[in-house]
Amino acid sequence: MPIPRYTRTVSNAELDDLLEVCKALANPTRLQIMGWLRDPSDHFAPQADPMEEVGVCVKQIQEKAGVSQSTASQYMSVLQRADLVESTRIGQWTYYRRNQKRIAALPELLGASL
Amino acid sequence: MPIPRYTRTVSNAELDDLLEVCKALANPTRLQIMGWLRDPSDHFAPQADPMEEVGVCVKQIQEKAGVSQSTASQYMSVLQRADLVESTRIGQWTYYRRNQKRIAALPELLGASL
DNA sequence: TTGGCAAATCGAAACATTGCGATATGACGA
DNA sequence: TCGTCATATCGCAATGTTTCGATTTGCCAA
């Protein structure tokens, strides 16, 4: 029975997870969006539904970021795939907000994987 | 004199800094290397100079990662530009080690910028 | 001083990401 | 039912990243 030459400290799942997070944040606009979503009412104009609860709709993010509608939509789904944001659909709007639980756990993930 | 409509919480310098870190880590092999360098003697074979102090030479990283010499060298300079590793040249070898101070400060940078 | 080793840099091909306009889907109000 | 608005998805050209082999630089020992 062969003994592995060197130890593996970090699980592959955690590493892949962190990798996806880094990829999602490795874009200046997406990184900014995450910051804006921290205090939505400081960065976005009022909207139909209360942004502190449900989040901010794509149109507002698009306007603030100065990108096209399709780009804004794509950005948000990249961030969502990395589990950094959550979304709620209300009527014709999709509201995005930070996944605060996940974000709070990032330092730990960093410490464990990196 | 126009008043900015919304508040900026995060400095551009910090955001750019975090962006560079994310870019550097947004590659599976580079991410792995950072992990290996945490406990070098658990992951690399003995070498001329003591790796816990000076770090690990490029050749060892190259072999462990299974990439070409030029790729390994580039990877290390990407990590160094992001300030995640430091290097020491001894004779014909360049030893790389984690910038532990910087890495310890990452959670704070994350908390401040993201 | 010459040969060999380690590392860095260069140039290029393959591959991935970016970001747009066009189009599709679905909700709402007239 | 129709037109409009918000969002999502598609296809594509431009740009950026990856990764290599070849070349260059620098160090050391014979």
Side-chain angles (χ1 to χ4, degrees):
Chain A
M1 197 183 206
I3 292 163
R5 198 174 307 248
Y6 306 116
T7 321
R8 161 173 302 282
T9 348
V10 183
S11 82
N12 270 339
E14 278 180 320
L15 218 67
D16 284 0
D17 195 21
L18 181 57
L19 182 64
E20 286 315 303
V21 170
C22 289
K23 281 182 173 181
L25 297 179
N27 170 290
T29 307
R30 284 196 298 263
L31 195 54
Q32 270 193 309
I33 291 171
M34 288 304 297
W36 295 334
L37 289 180
R38 196 157 42 167
D39 303 297
S41 52
D42 286 355
H43 295 283
F44 299 97
Q47 60 182 15
D49 293 275
M51 62 177 65
E52 302 293 352
E53 291 163 38
V54 295
V56 181
C57 73
V58 176
K59 185 135 199 287
Q60 295 231 50
I61 295 167
Q62 182 221 320
E63 282 168 0
K64 175 93 180 169
V67 295
S68 72
Q69 187 273 319
S70 64
T71 298
S73 179
Q74 269 195 143
Y75 277 2
M76 295 322 293
S77 70
V78 168
L79 290 172
Q80 189 164 39
R81 246 176 284 128
D83 214 16
L84 291 165
V85 300
E86 303 169 312
S87 70
T88 307
R89 179 108 203 190
I90 299 179
Q92 49 190 154
W93 294 281
T94 305
Y95 296 105
Y96 286 94
R97 61 192 172 281
R98 286 159 61 99
N99 182 349
Q100 202 52 53
K101 210 168 175 180
R102 161 78 152 172
I103 291 166
L106 282 185
E108 198 189 350
L109 179 63
L110 219 79
S113 304
L114 180 116
Chain B
M1 195 181 209
I3 292 164
R5 199 173 305 249
Y6 305 115
T7 320
R8 162 174 300 282
T9 347
V10 183
S11 83
N12 271 338
E14 278 180 320
L15 218 67
D16 284 0
D17 195 22
L18 182 57
L19 182 63
E20 284 317 302
V21 170
C22 290
K23 281 182 173 181
L25 298 178
N27 170 292
T29 308
R30 284 197 298 262
L31 196 55
Q32 270 193 309
I33 291 171
M34 288 304 298
W36 295 334
L37 289 180
R38 194 154 48 165
D39 304 297
S41 53
D42 286 355
H43 295 283
F44 299 96
Q47 61 183 16
D49 294 275
M51 61 176 66
E52 303 290 352
E53 291 162 38
V54 296
V56 181
C57 73
V58 176
K59 184 132 200 288
Q60 295 230 48
I61 295 167
Q62 182 221 318
E63 281 167 0
K64 174 94 180 168
V67 296
S68 73
Q69 186 272 320
S70 63
T71 298
S73 180
Q74 269 197 147
Y75 278 2
M76 295 322 292
S77 68
V78 169
L79 290 172
Q80 189 165 38
R81 247 177 284 129
D83 213 18
L84 291 164
V85 300
E86 302 169 313
S87 70
T88 307
R89 179 107 203 191
I90 298 179
Q92 50 190 152
W93 294 281
T94 305
Y95 296 104
Y96 287 93
R97 62 192 171 281
R98 287 160 60 100
N99 181 347
Q100 202 52 52
K101 210 168 175 180
R102 160 76 152 173
I103 291 166
L106 282 186
E108 198 189 349
L109 178 63
L110 219 79
S113 305
L114 180 116

